[in-house]
Amino acid sequence: MKIEKMLKSISIGKKVLVIGGTGLLGYHTVNHLIENGHFPSVLTLPSDTSKPFPQSVPMHYGNISEMSDSQLQSLMKGYDWLVFSAGGHDTYPLPKDELETLLEEINVVSTKRVMEAGRSAGVTRAVIFGSYFEYFARAWPSLKMAEKHPYIASRIRQSEVAFDLVTDDFGVVVLELPYIWGTMPNREPQWKDLIHTLRGDGKTINYEGGGTIMTSVLHVAEAALGALERGISGHRYPVGDQNVTWTELISKIAEIDGVEREINTLSHDQLMVTAKENQNKLDEAGLVTGINPVSYVQIASANAFFDPEPTRIALGLTSGGLDEAIREQVKMVPIDNN
């Protein structure tokens, strides 16, 4: 009981800067912080015209890649905590050197600059929204995911450069996030294209086997606050709520749409045919992607599952609500694909 009281006392009324706060995850994190008595502010791009928050939430505009170190540090003065919800891009096909440079800039260099600025400005705790591919790179070493997928390598580097900056006065926690379901006002559903694909054009849907752990935006927001309040600095926390096979997800979407679907699970060899065709097209164009199509088949056809309970306990997360989050998003996507 004494520990619980201490945690509450040290976390009441913190000033929090949420970078990328108008995105899906940032939006729900900001609202969760408000609901729990904190005072979030948002940094978003100058081109962002959305106004999703009450006037009491300060909005700052700037591109962290274009801001100087002194501008970043000045912006973060007076804040207790920092949530980094920007970056994380796997980008589009590019020549190899360009892709690796861009991933390094977006996912690694920007993270390091932001964390350095926060530490210098007196921020005491920071949370980074990372990727669950980091978790599986550790769990499945035989797949050599960092070697084969530049995006995954950049995500691992992102955590490493942030953890290198940890001190007794500045703590950093990384949340390894999976597939996330949820919506926000005036924004297209994040998984619109996936929903169209899983619906298919007829009664029979051909799709890969395996599955993935999933969660809702609520639990990501809870994880962000939990990591700030009680996360161990220098730790990665894989976040999830429910392990779902692709067959189960297709069935859920079909049920929401009120239709019947037959699901034909594609074999590893069948998936490899398409992956090799895509890889050949990239090779002919002299391009690469952040996720290698051929190597990804082993991930896509596997069960990318883990036990969410350890993180749930460590960060004080609730559970449930995934089906409702999926339903809400599916209902926003017209069945006719228009």
Side-chain angles (χ1 to χ4, degrees), residues 87-307:
H89 300 285
D90 61 2
T91 77
Y92 34 81
L94 288 169
K96 186 174 186 294
D97 289 346
E98 289 184 31
L99 179 103
E100 291 180 351
T101 298
L102 186 58
L103 287 173
E104 180 75 8
E105 175 62 34
I106 294 175
N107 294 342
V108 182
V109 174
S110 292
T111 299
K112 182 180 180 181
R113 292 184 63 237
V114 166
M115 295 300 124
E116 285 177 331
R119 186 178 69 174
S120 298
V123 171
T124 60
R125 300 279 288 177
V127 170
I128 297 171
F129 286 172
S131 167
Y132 81 156
F133 282 130
E134 276 195 80
Y135 170 84
F136 288 109
R138 298 191 303 274
W140 299 338
S142 63
L143 296 187
K144 299 180 179 179
M145 292 167 64
E147 295 177 27
K148 297 178 179 179
H149 305 283
Y151 166 69
I152 298 175
S154 73
R155 281 299 213 168
I156 293 171
R157 284 268 298 137
Q158 179 185 44
S159 297
E160 291 173 345
V161 298
F163 290 156
D164 284 344
L165 296 170
V166 168
T167 66
D168 291 341
D169 299 318
F170 179 68
V172 179
V173 174
V174 171
L175 300 178
E176 298 175 326
L177 303 179
Y179 275 66
I180 301 161
W181 293 85
T183 61
M184 65 176 289
N186 304 315
R187 189 69 61 91
E188 283 193 337
Q190 181 180 4
W191 298 118
K192 181 180 71 172
D193 293 341
L194 176 66
I195 292 168
H196 286 324
T197 299
L198 296 183
R199 279 172 169 162
D201 296 324
K203 284 191 173 183
T204 301
I205 298 178
N206 299 314
Y207 210 73
E208 61 208 34
T212 180
I213 193 164
M214 301 179 181
T215 194
S216 70
V217 288
L218 168 62
H219 299 313
V220 174
E222 290 177 338
L225 180 54
L228 290 167
E229 289 182 329
R230 66 188 77 181
I232 299 173
S233 180
H235 276 53
R236 300 171 174 88
Y237 291 90
V239 177
D241 186 58
Q242 187 177 332
N243 291 307
V244 181
T245 67
W246 294 115
T247 296
E248 289 170 340
L249 183 61
I250 294 168
S251 298
K252 288 178 188 289
I253 292 173
E255 182 182 353
I256 294 167
D257 288 340
V259 299
E260 294 183 3
R261 301 285 191 198
E262 293 181 9
I263 304 165
N264 177 38
T265 300
L266 299 174
S267 68
H268 181 275
D269 289 344
Q270 288 174 310
L271 291 170
M272 283 297 289
V273 170
T274 301
K276 287 179 178 178
E277 289 176 353
N278 291 335
Q279 186 62 58
N280 288 337
K281 291 177 182 178
L282 288 170
D283 291 343
E284 290 172 0
L287 304 175
V288 296
T289 52
I291 298 293
N292 179 276
V294 173
S295 297
Y296 187 67
V297 170
Q298 289 180 291
I299 303 172
S301 58
N303 285 328
F305 296 163
F306 57 74
D307 180 5

Side-chain angles (χ1 to χ4, degrees), residues 1-9:
M1 182 64 70
K2 290 182 179 179
I3 293 176
E4 291 178 358
K5 288 182 178 179
M6 181 185 72
L7 285 171
K8 289 180 180 179
S9 68

Side-chain angles (χ1 to χ4, degrees), residues 33-49:
L33 287 165
I34 294 171
E35 291 167 4
N36 284 272
H38 300 291
F39 305 99
S41 299
V42 169
L43 173 65
T44 189
L45 292 171
S47 59
D48 188 351
T49 59

